Amino acid sequence: MDTNGGEAVGFALPFGVAVWQTKKNKDQLQIPSDLLLTASAWDVENECVICAFGPSRDNALIQLKRWHYDREEKEESLEDIASWDAPCPVPDLECDYVLDLHYLADLSTTCVVLAGGDVIVVREAPLNGEEKIEIVGSVDVGISAAAWSPDEELLAIVTRADTLLYMTKDFENTSSVTLVEDDLKASKHVSVGWGKKETQFKGKGAKALRDPTMPEKVDEGLPSPHDDKTSTISWRGDGVYLAINSNQASPRRVIRVYSREGMLDGVSEPVDGLEGALSWRPEGNLLAGIQRFEDHADVVFFERNGLRHGQFPLRIAIEEMTDIWATSITLEWNVDSSILAVCFRDRFQLWIMSNYHYYMKQEVAFAISPSSERIMFQWNPEHPLMCTTILKDSIHRLDYVFHVEAGSTISPDDYGLISVIDGRKVKLTPLRLANVPPPMALHEVTVNSNVVNTAIHGGGSDTKLAVLERDRLSIYQWNLKTKPIPAPDLLAFTETAACQGYVQQVVFLDDEKVLVLATNSSGSTLSLFRLTPTGLKHIITTLSIPFIQDICSSFSRLNHIACLHFLHSGRVAFSRAILESGSWLRLDSLSNEAWSDICILPKHTGDVKFIDISNKFSEGIAIEPGQTRSPFIAFGLTSNGSLYANSRRLAKDCTSFLVTHAHIIFTTTQYLLKFVHMTRAEELDVPPDTPEVDERCRSIERGARLITVMPSISALVLQMPRGNLETIYPRALVLAGIRQSIDKKKYKKAFLSCRNHRVDMNILHDHDPESFIKSVKLFVEQVGKVEHIDLFLSQLREEDVSKIMYKDTVVQTKPELNTKESTIHTSASEHFGKLKVNNICDAFLEALQLRTSTNLQNIITAHVCKSPPDLEAGLLEVAKLQRDDSVEAEKAVEHICFLVDVNRLYDNALGLYDLDLALLVAQQSQKDPREYLPFLQKLQELPSRRRDFTIDDYLGRFTKALTHLHAMNDFEEFKIYMTKHKLYEDALHIYRRQEDRVQGLMGLYAEHLSKEARYKEAGIAYEYIKDYASASEAYRLAHLWREALSCAGLIPLEEAQLQSFASTIANSLQELKDFHSAATVHQDYLHDLESATRLFCKGYFYADAIRILSLNKRAELLDAVVDAGLVEGMGTMTELLAECKAQINAQVPRLRELRIKKIEEPLAFYDGDVNDGMDIPDNISLAATDASTAGGSLFTRYTNRTGTVGTNATRRTSKNRRREERKRARGKKGSVYEEEYLVNSIGRLIDRVNAVGDEVGRLVVGLMRRGMRERAKAVEGSMVEVVDLCRDCVGEVFQSESKVGQEEEKPKDQDVDRPTGGDGVLWDSMEMSQTKKEAPEVKAFERLTLFGR
């Protein structure tokens, strides 16, 4: 559930504290007194800064040096590049100075532009014929401004003679434009006054409205009293346009916009008090300048065409307007347009914009004399939050991070409290209690100076806020449990002079202790303050600590831990402070025993959070006794988007992250929000980018950042790029909260969460089945409302949603961890698996036994929701209530009719033989009373047994109705009813103890079985009642010749009739090819020895044939009958084996050829020559039709099959399905079905060879017994050859298709829809071909050893 639209405190992408990236003397370089630092430039390729020293009035020497801020030793951090003398060629300049310093990384060249007019390049690696230091250009009149384009292809120069020059990277002049006053006529600005007071509707009383296009005051371009008459150049981020802010001969200051080719594009409208500051936002929509008034100063914005586009005040007090530090202001946008730096003479401010409100996030002031020097500020061209600040005797590199100062994320203190810095104001909003849209806030705290940092501690009635200013620390208390919520109260404050450095961060250690981090030239200091009844007392300040980036503070309510984020040896380590007896131990080095490293991050990270996973808030995480691994995990986000958990990288595209006791939550550049279950760092499982199937991953708006999370209400707050906030309820958070509530047996909270967030309520049981069944009574007491219990019962189903639907939202522990608990849970799940719904309903029925008066509706629901529904039990509850309270009975029957189809209930009510209940149910239906009233009245008039019979017959319960007829002792009607509804088995069971009745019923049953062609059972039934004639005929039709002849002999039949009957049976057996049985009938009943012998030989039973001839002394028939049968059998078998051999020799090579062709030419194999021999290119773009593109390429559709099969000859209609099936059955040569046909054909052949093996064996033995050795040997040889051929080809023919046709096997769980019609036949064929077939077994043929070799 998402709540869109700005509900949050007023802040935009919260900007964090100034993190001074200083390690010893690397990030703060102190300049020797004999050098004067005048300019700097970023060398982003080598990650260093190019510094220019000089010239000055006393020394014309210019020195270029490279500052390696990552080197340990101060002496090695400055590297000399070059030096030269630069005397000023312009007489009216006191000395020359550097206007622009730029490093060209691709040329390893530094370009220096001097105000005197020289353009100088310094080559660090000059080629042959090149000079290391060269003046590549010179302007005689001097230069007033210069700037390189963002792509470093053009250098723009404004001369002191008001001329714009363009120079290439090779320093060739491409264009020259003169700035003249006629340029002011180029733009004719027309303002329609949008947003002005004059354009607003004032009601009917406004008779004389002024022209809205005419403002009350028209600016004339009057100059600012503090205008320094300088010119400024600023390029747009894409390098297509540049803007020049300069003075004309007249006092007016003008902003001109030129194209890259030097064409004038626009001129600014007149603005009074406009100064020389100018910075074009890299995104290109606004140009920023400074407008000064008598009582304040504004940052004003212009569009490219020169029109004004809004402004915001700089919040300079009236008395400060005349101070020297505020007389000169410059502007500088960072590279991603998110921050505007406003630079004064001795300080700079960082501003960001959200929802059209500008927030001042930081002010950094330097202890310099603004009358004699001023700072120079420069952003890094690649890292948007990194900058340098230059003083004449030092240079500082500053690295900022975006940081959200939020309150606790541990319940119950997770109020979502956010503090937002805006100059001297701290905006406070507890998002859980008040969603205030930005830029407003629930409450604001105003202090004396601009805020440096804030910290939040605790929650509820004892929420504390620490506000750190440059020279003051204040502690506020805020009661969030009082309604309405009051303003925060100031508890105490103190000066921060004891911190001995520039304060930059404050954190709470506990309810009373506050830790302040400060930085000075020699390192970092930590100062401990304690809140006492008399005020805020400074306890101790530690010195000589290695430079600390920031301080992290855990939110654990068990142990308050402060972690210092150090920067040493290229790695970031965290150390835990140890407090003993309330005293602060002195920290001398990282090796001091007061500190111990608890976790390591491999790279420098900006925003850092850590968690102790061994505390009680980290459910499900097992920390084994005696393990050496640290229970702490530090999470850090680098500037390039890599998210680390200790030394492990979790993601490389992270944009923001949050940490709770249960999850690490982060957003990615793919606009996804991901949840990782909290466990040990090496076991963290990051979900894939599959928001469609994984509840741990969901899509979010582009550019959204995480602000805070409130696990107690399962809410997550994100900030959109435009500044508004959105509160969402991710499924992972919701389910985590539900599981936590279940574990704590807070069933009402868990139920309401399921209900509010549309979570399947089966999770209430499936999370811990055994515990839930034991706590059903507690569940009923907590949930309370009858409607809520009904809602739960009505949503029950057999599936275990914790293992199917929500399996990804719970941490997956390893098998060796928590073995006992997992075994209990698994066994419980298996126990309740098949009968889950019924077990739950029975548990509720047991719990509600004593609450019938209040929860009768739930009892009925529990009966009805069983699987299958126990409607009779539910109706009996209604019937019981009907006798006591008719009004409540009507309510109960209304409820049960709501749950179940009323017609079904009516039938069940009739089945209870309760006509009053049936009438009550019928009245709730849509039936016409004329339909059921006469029927019920008729039933009321019938005797009890007849009424019950009539009801059961009406309901189709014929077996039960039959019992009523038995009770009425009406045997004739019983037989008629039994015959009508074919209830013979039930009838036999009812009269099982009355043999005379059974005889009559069995005869009727036998007749029924004969009509149903169930002759074997009919014969047994007839024989049971001694009807041998009918039994013999039934046995004959069942081809049970032994039983038929035995019954025929018991009739008894005359000899002639028995002979005729036996002859009929023998003929039918011969038609069924049961030659052995037919021969036995001829021998035993027809006494035809010669026919019996011929039939034995026909079935290859030569041993039986010779036996009966020998038994009956008929040796003369051996030559006439047996030998002739042997010769005939040999011919038939030899022909069969020859056909099998020929089939194998033809089909196996063809199958091999097809499979080779499928690998080498899949297109030709599946589709044949689709172009009729024409040479047509295969890269022609086809229209996206269903016939041509639905199935992907012709290759992939038959190998990987990523979609619906598509071919040139469409098989998509059900009309062609049968034709396609016939094609598949024929397996025509050259068709796509040929391979499948050949495989199936060879399989059938092997089955046939296995079937004739015994016959061939008997034939060979018979031939040998009759002296036909050569014939026997020939038959055996043919059989052995065919068996060997079958055995040799089995492995090749029945191999897996995946090994032949494709290298990678398709995932088994790939979900692909099966097509219909003719396509479905082809699809089935392809599925069959890619399914590994089980090879048939080739039976071994036992050879005779009498043939020799």
Side-chain angles (χ1 to χ4, degrees), residues 169 482 888 1026 1331:
K169 186 182 291 187
T482 303
E888 292 297 326
K1026 306 295 189 294
T1331 302

Side-chain angles (χ1 to χ4, degrees), residues 1146-1329:
Q1147 291 183 340
V1148 172
R1150 175 59 180 168
L1151 182 62
R1152 188 182 304 121
E1153 178 186 351
L1154 286 175
R1155 288 176 171 173
I1156 293 174
K1157 183 179 180 181
K1158 180 166 65 173
I1159 297 174
E1160 297 178 349
E1161 302 178 39
L1163 182 65
F1165 176 81
Y1166 287 107
D1167 277 344
D1169 190 2
V1170 296
N1171 299 321
D1172 296 329
M1174 298 176 62
D1175 186 13
I1176 297 178
D1178 59 359
N1179 59 351
I1180 298 176
S1181 177
L1182 299 176
T1185 63
D1186 182 57
S1188 65
T1189 63
S1193 69
L1194 294 173
F1195 180 78
T1196 58
R1197 74 181 61 155
Y1198 294 120
T1199 54
N1200 294 329
R1201 304 194 312 283
T1202 56
T1204 304
V1205 176
T1207 65
N1208 61 307
T1210 58
R1211 308 179 179 92
R1212 297 184 180 280
T1213 60
S1214 58
K1215 173 182 176 182
N1216 294 328
R1217 180 176 53 81
R1218 288 188 297 273
R1219 182 176 65 181
E1220 202 73 20
E1221 289 175 348
R1222 289 194 297 270
K1223 287 183 180 180
R1224 182 182 179 187
R1226 288 197 301 268
K1228 183 179 178 181
K1229 185 175 181 179
S1231 69
V1232 73
Y1233 303 114
E1234 183 182 3
E1235 180 187 7
E1236 180 189 13
Y1237 174 81
L1238 292 176
V1239 173
N1240 294 335
S1241 177
I1242 295 173
R1244 291 191 297 269
L1245 182 145
I1246 293 174
D1247 293 339
R1248 190 177 181 188
V1249 171
N1250 290 335
V1252 303
D1254 294 337
E1255 296 179 358
V1256 173
R1258 295 196 297 268
L1259 175 61
V1260 171
V1261 172
L1263 289 171
M1264 284 294 292
R1265 291 181 64 183
R1266 296 299 299 159
M1268 304 178 189
R1269 181 177 179 278
E1270 293 300 326
R1271 293 184 177 182
K1273 184 176 181 180
V1275 173
E1276 185 184 75
S1278 299
M1279 183 64 185
V1280 170
E1281 185 177 6
V1282 171
V1283 170
D1284 290 343
L1285 288 174
C1286 292
R1287 186 179 292 110
D1288 293 340
C1289 74
V1290 163
E1292 179 182 358
V1293 172
F1294 295 95
Q1295 61 181 323
S1296 172
E1297 178 68 16
S1298 60
K1299 296 180 181 178
V1300 178
Q1302 59 188 29
E1303 295 181 358
E1304 296 183 3
E1305 187 176 354
K1306 175 186 135 180
K1308 294 182 180 180
D1309 57 349
Q1310 184 173 347
D1311 186 13
V1312 182
D1313 294 334
R1314 179 190 181 278
T1316 58
D1319 284 344
V1321 178
L1322 179 59
W1323 179 273
D1324 293 339
S1325 174
M1326 299 308 304
E1327 286 287 338
M1328 185 69 67
S1329 68

Side-chain angles (χ1 to χ4, degrees), residues 193-203 209 212:
W194 297 121
K196 298 285 187 178
K197 180 176 64 175
E198 296 83 354
T199 63
Q200 306 306 309
F201 180 66
K202 298 182 180 180
L209 289 177

Side-chain angles (χ1 to χ4, degrees), residues 1012-1086:
E1012 296 290 329
R1014 296 164 60 183
Y1015 298 114
K1016 177 181 178 180
E1017 293 173 303
I1020 296 173
Y1022 280 126
E1023 191 172 0
Y1024 178 83
I1025 61 176
K1026 306 295 189 294
D1027 187 354
Y1028 296 113
S1030 300
S1032 62
E1033 182 63 21
Y1035 282 134
R1036 183 188 69 81
L1037 294 174
H1039 305 295
L1040 300 174
W1041 63 273
R1042 294 179 180 84
E1043 292 81 354
L1045 290 172
S1046 63
C1047 287
L1050 294 174
I1051 294 178
L1053 292 177
E1054 296 181 358
E1055 185 64 25
Q1057 292 177 331
L1058 183 61
Q1059 291 278 339
S1060 176
F1061 186 69
S1063 177
T1064 302
I1065 290 178
N1067 291 335
S1068 63
L1069 291 173
Q1070 191 172 349
E1071 291 176 359
L1072 295 174
K1073 299 188 182 300
D1074 187 358
F1075 298 113
H1076 193 282
S1077 298
T1080 304
V1081 173
H1082 273 282
Q1083 178 185 358
D1084 296 344
Y1085 291 92
L1086 299 179

Side-chain angles (χ1 to χ4, degrees), residues 785-952:
K785 287 189 177 181
V786 174
E787 298 81 4
H788 289 174
I789 298 175
D790 278 350
L791 180 61
F792 169 75
L793 292 172
S794 62
Q795 292 193 6
L796 291 176
R797 52 195 177 96
E798 296 294 342
E799 292 82 359
D800 187 346
V801 297
S802 65
K803 294 183 178 180
I804 301 175
M805 184 180 297
Y806 303 129
K807 63 179 181 180
D808 294 325
T809 58
V810 64
V811 60
Q812 301 295 328
T813 57
K814 291 186 177 181
E816 64 269 13
L817 298 178
N818 300 329
T819 304
K820 181 178 179 181
E821 290 77 2
S822 60
T823 302
I824 294 175
H825 181 79
T826 303
S827 62
S829 300
E830 292 176 354
H831 176 70
F832 294 115
K834 296 181 180 180
L835 303 175
K836 165 188 160 183
V837 175
N838 289 350
N839 280 325
I840 296 174
C841 291
D842 290 340
F844 271 86
L845 291 173
E846 181 180 354
L848 296 173
Q849 284 180 352
L850 303 178
R851 305 169 68 101
T852 307
S853 58
T854 57
N855 292 81
L856 178 64
Q857 181 173 312
N858 299 141
I859 295 175
I860 295 173
T861 304
H863 284 300
V864 172
C865 289
K866 286 187 177 182
S867 180
D870 191 359
L871 299 181
E872 292 187 358
L875 288 170
L876 288 175
E877 295 289 344
V878 176
K880 188 188 304 181
L881 186 63
Q882 188 180 22
R883 293 189 291 269
D884 301 333
D885 190 341
S886 59
V887 176
E888 292 297 326
E890 289 185 4
K891 294 180 180 179
V893 80
E894 287 180 5
H895 176 66
I896 197 171
C897 289
F898 170 75
L899 297 174
V900 187
D901 179 33
V902 67
N903 295 318
R904 186 179 175 188
L905 277 176
Y906 174 72
D907 293 342
N908 279 272
L910 278 177
L912 295 175
Y913 313 117
D914 189 336
L915 299 183
D916 294 335
L917 181 61
L919 177 61
L920 186 62
V921 173
Q923 290 173 347
Q924 299 296 326
S925 69
Q926 300 297 322
K927 291 183 177 182
D928 190 339
R930 291 174 295 181
E931 297 179 17
Y932 59 83
L933 282 179
F935 176 67
L936 294 177
Q937 291 173 353
K938 179 181 177 182
L939 291 176
Q940 189 68 35
E941 297 171 357
L942 294 175
S944 175
R945 290 288 185 185
R946 179 60 63 178
R947 180 171 64 245
D948 295 347
F949 166 76
T950 305
I951 290 175
D952 287 329

Side-chain angles (χ1 to χ4, degrees), residues 296-536:
H296 70 281
D298 289 348
V299 175
V300 294
F301 297 108
F302 297 87
E303 299 176 8
R304 199 188 80 193
N305 58 12
L307 288 176
R308 285 281 301 274
H309 191 93
Q311 67 280 323
F312 70 88
L314 286 178
R315 307 177 190 173
I316 303 175
I318 298 178
E319 59 273 12
E320 296 175 334
M321 288 296 295
T322 57
D323 290 348
I324 296 178
W325 67 265
T327 56
S328 178
I329 306 175
T330 60
L331 302 173
E332 191 77 28
W333 285 101
N334 70 335
V335 68
D336 66 353
S337 304
S338 60
I339 308 172
L340 176 63
V342 180
C343 304
F344 301 90
R345 297 188 67 89
D346 65 344
R347 69 195 66 185
F348 67 86
Q349 298 174 351
L350 301 180
W351 296 74
I352 63 173
M353 188 271 289
S354 175
N355 279 5
Y356 301 99
H357 176 78
Y358 278 84
Y359 298 80
M360 187 174 75
K361 288 299 179 181
Q362 285 289 304
E363 181 183 73
V364 179
F366 296 89
I368 62 174
S369 174
S371 60
S372 60
E373 64 174 304
R374 66 164 302 157
I375 65 171
M376 287 179 284
F377 183 92
Q378 188 177 27
W379 287 107
N380 188 293
E382 289 189 357
H383 302 287
L385 302 181
M386 186 183 296
C387 63
T388 58
T389 305
I390 298 177
L391 284 67
K392 68 178 182 180
D393 59 353
S394 63
I395 180 172
H396 304 262
R397 183 178 71 94
L398 293 85
D399 198 356
Y400 288 82
V401 295
F402 280 109
H403 172 73
V404 180
E405 188 57 48
S408 174
T409 59
I410 301 298
S411 179
D413 294 337
D414 53 339
Y415 285 87
L417 180 57
I418 300 294
S419 68
V420 181
I421 298 174
D422 187 11
R424 299 184 180 184
K425 295 180 179 179
V426 178
K427 298 176 180 288
L428 299 170
T429 298
L431 295 174
R432 183 170 133 193
L433 304 178
N435 283 334
V436 180
M440 297 180 292
L442 182 63
H443 285 290
E444 293 183 355
V445 172
T446 303
V447 294
N448 297 330
S449 60
N450 293 322
V451 179
V452 175
N453 187 232
T454 62
I456 299 172
H457 176 73
S461 59
D462 191 25
T463 303
K464 289 186 174 62
L465 171 70
V467 179
L468 180 63
E469 305 167 53
R470 188 166 51 186
D471 54 1
R472 174 169 159 164
L473 174 64
S474 305
I475 305 296
Y476 293 83
Q477 186 174 25
W478 200 11
N479 188 351
L480 298 178
K481 291 188 176 180
T482 303
K483 293 184 180 180
I485 301 175
D489 297 324
L490 178 63
L491 290 181
F493 66 90
T494 186
E495 301 297 325
T496 59
C499 296
Q500 301 185 27
Y502 186 91
V503 295
Q504 68 181 66
Q505 191 180 1
V506 59
V507 295
F508 279 96
L509 295 180
D510 54 28
D511 292 339
E512 298 180 353
K513 301 184 188 70
V514 179
L515 187 63
V516 176
L517 171 66
T519 304
N520 53 40
S521 59
S522 60
S524 298
T525 67
L526 290 173
S527 300
L528 182 65
F529 294 85
R530 183 191 296 274
L531 184 63
T532 66
T534 59
L536 190 60

